[in-house]
Amino acid sequence: MTNKTQFENGVLGTNVIAQIGILVHDIDTVSQAYADFFGVEKPQWNWTDTVDVAQTEFEGVSSEARSKLAFFDMGSLQLELIEPDQHPSTWRNHLNEHGEGPHHIAFIINGMKDKVTLMESKNMRLVQKGEYTGGRYAYMDTFKDLKIMLELLENDK
Amino acid sequence: MTNKTQFENGVLGTNVIAQIGILVHDIDTVSQAYADFFGVEKPQWNWTDTVDVAQTEFEGVSSEARSKLAFFDMGSLQLELIEPDQHPSTWRNHLNEHGEGPHHIAFIINGMKDKVTLMESKNMRLVQKGEYTGGRYAYMDTFKDLKIMLELLENDK
């Protein structure tokens, strides 16, 4: 069996980790620390879009929550720093409950609606979703089985 | 400036994440869950070597601590599941304090002794080290700056 065939038997159709997301209290300070440590330029951070654009939903309800995001290219994947605002979100709640540190690993998938439905049928709950320029994301509660949250990313062609 | 030059200015000489380590209570159950989810075969787990071979040191003291390890290839990096035994170690202590979930990200470096000394000069403490067949590892306390623990891996040529 080829690798390709194997992964098609999987839920996501891929096993390539595209991002690791890390929650922080102060994105400026932590971005500078990463830049200094890895010898790269400090990236600009950007706010996620406002709810009218992002259509953010947390626990099934429309949410004003936003985060500042900064990305570092780390080999074949991105390390994403996330500083959430004070509105309830998976980012803010996880940061409050667990402190700074890893929040999720992300995979680029095709067919968001079908993947979410398939995961829900396996008792992996949709926690938060939203749109970004050129695509959309969904955080799925996979803690029980996989011991870490997964994020699905779907980019428009 | 080329990427290569940039990373040579960094502490590790690389920014390529080689592994993500995840602590679990039951490596058999979680390995099966990953295998089912990603549509791959369940890998065999293996015990880390005994202290006479691994020369394990935790907090500067020789330690009998061992873990069961299982590896999944996830794109260009490995996802490592870790089930520690009951002896004190960074694995056991982190699992007791934080529960199951991410423990570290790992980088393959050259010159372990020099890298550890350089990081210690930046107040990044050596937490645990040991040998494995073909190489050696060191866990460094980078929580204050980077919000996650780093593991250094050096493989013999």
Side-chain angles (χ1 to χ4, degrees), chain B residues 40-156:
Chain B
V40 298
E41 284 192 23
K42 178 170 175 280
Q44 288 285 331
W45 56 259
N46 289 291
W47 278 109
T48 57
D49 288 323
T50 50
V51 60
D52 55 313
V53 175
Q55 302 171 50
T56 312
E57 288 188 19
F58 174 57
E59 302 291 5
V61 178
S62 179
S63 171
E64 291 180 50
R66 300 170 74 190
S67 277
K68 297 175 184 173
L69 305 180
F71 296 93
F72 290 83
D73 289 323
M74 308 286 279
S76 67
L77 75 167
Q78 289 182 313
L79 191 143
E80 177 187 34
L81 299 180
I82 308 165
E83 180 191 325
D85 69 13
Q86 295 301 320
H87 294 283
S89 66
T90 178
W91 306 308
R92 170 50 56 197
N93 289 14
H94 195 98
L95 183 56
N96 287 354
E97 289 166 23
H98 301 281
E100 296 178 289
H103 174 257
H104 69 266
I105 53 177
F107 296 84
I108 296 171
I109 57 91
N110 294 311
M112 181 66 85
K113 197 172 170 182
D114 289 347
K115 295 298 185 200
V116 170
T117 300
L118 179 57
M119 290 181 73
E120 287 178 326
S121 77
K122 296 174 182 293
N123 296 313
M124 296 167 169
R125 199 170 49 87
L126 173 64
V127 176
Q128 182 173 319
K129 66 177 182 178
E131 303 281 324
Y132 53 82
T133 303
R136 61 207 51 79
Y137 72 87
Y139 289 109
M140 307 300 294
D141 182 350
T142 45
F143 287 112
K144 179 174 168 290
D145 292 303
L146 305 181
K147 312 306 176 186
I148 189 168
M149 180 173 281
L150 296 198
E151 182 182 26
L152 310 185
L153 299 170
E154 182 177 47
N155 293 320
D156 298 330

Side-chain angles (χ1 to χ4, degrees), chain A residues 1 5-12 14-17 19-20 22-25 29-30 33-34 36-41 73-79 81 98 100-103 105 107 119 122 124 142-148 150, chain B residues 1 5-12 14-17 19-20 22-25 29-30 33-34 36-41 73-79 81 98 100-103 105 107 119 122 124 142-148 150:
Chain A
M1 206 186 318
T5 308
Q6 284 187 305
F7 302 140
E8 286 174 357
N9 293 335
V11 173
L12 299 185
T14 179
N15 73 341
V16 177
I17 299 176
Q19 287 180 352
I20 301 175
I22 296 184
L23 289 164
V24 303
H25 289 305
T29 302
V30 182
Y34 269 89
D36 292 346
F37 187 81
F38 288 103
V40 297
E41 283 192 23
D73 289 323
M74 308 287 278
S76 68
L77 74 166
Q78 289 182 315
L79 190 144
L81 300 180
H98 301 280
E100 296 177 289
H103 174 256
I105 54 177
F107 295 83
M119 290 181 72
K122 296 174 182 295
M124 297 169 170
T142 46
F143 287 111
K144 178 172 170 290
D145 292 302
L146 306 180
K147 311 306 176 184
I148 189 168
L150 297 197
Chain B
M1 202 186 324
T5 308
Q6 285 186 305
F7 302 141
E8 286 174 355
N9 293 335
V11 172
L12 299 184
T14 179
N15 74 340
V16 177
I17 299 175
Q19 285 180 353
I20 301 175
I22 297 184
L23 290 164
V24 303
H25 290 304
T29 302
V30 182
Y34 269 89
D36 292 344
F37 187 81
F38 288 103
V40 298
E41 284 192 23
D73 289 323
M74 308 286 279
S76 67
L77 75 167
Q78 289 182 313
L79 191 143
L81 299 180
H98 301 281
E100 296 178 289
H103 174 257
I105 53 177
F107 296 84
M119 290 181 73
K122 296 174 182 293
M124 296 167 169
T142 45
F143 287 112
K144 179 174 168 290
D145 292 303
L146 305 181
K147 312 306 176 186
I148 189 168
L150 296 198

Side-chain angles (χ1 to χ4, degrees), chain A residues 31-102:
Chain A
S31 289
Q32 190 64 59
Y34 269 89
D36 292 346
F37 187 81
F38 288 103
V40 297
E41 283 192 23
K42 178 171 174 281
Q44 290 284 334
W45 55 259
N46 290 291
W47 280 110
T48 57
D49 288 322
T50 48
V51 61
D52 54 313
V53 175
Q55 302 172 45
T56 312
E57 287 187 20
F58 174 57
E59 303 292 4
V61 178
S62 178
S63 170
E64 290 180 50
R66 300 171 73 189
S67 278
K68 297 175 184 174
L69 304 180
F71 296 93
F72 291 83
D73 289 323
M74 308 287 278
S76 68
L77 74 166
Q78 289 182 315
L79 190 144
E80 176 186 35
L81 300 180
I82 308 164
E83 179 191 327
D85 68 14
Q86 295 303 320
H87 293 284
S89 66
T90 177
W91 307 308
R92 168 51 55 195
N93 289 14
H94 194 99
L95 183 56
N96 287 355
E97 287 166 23
H98 301 280
E100 296 177 289

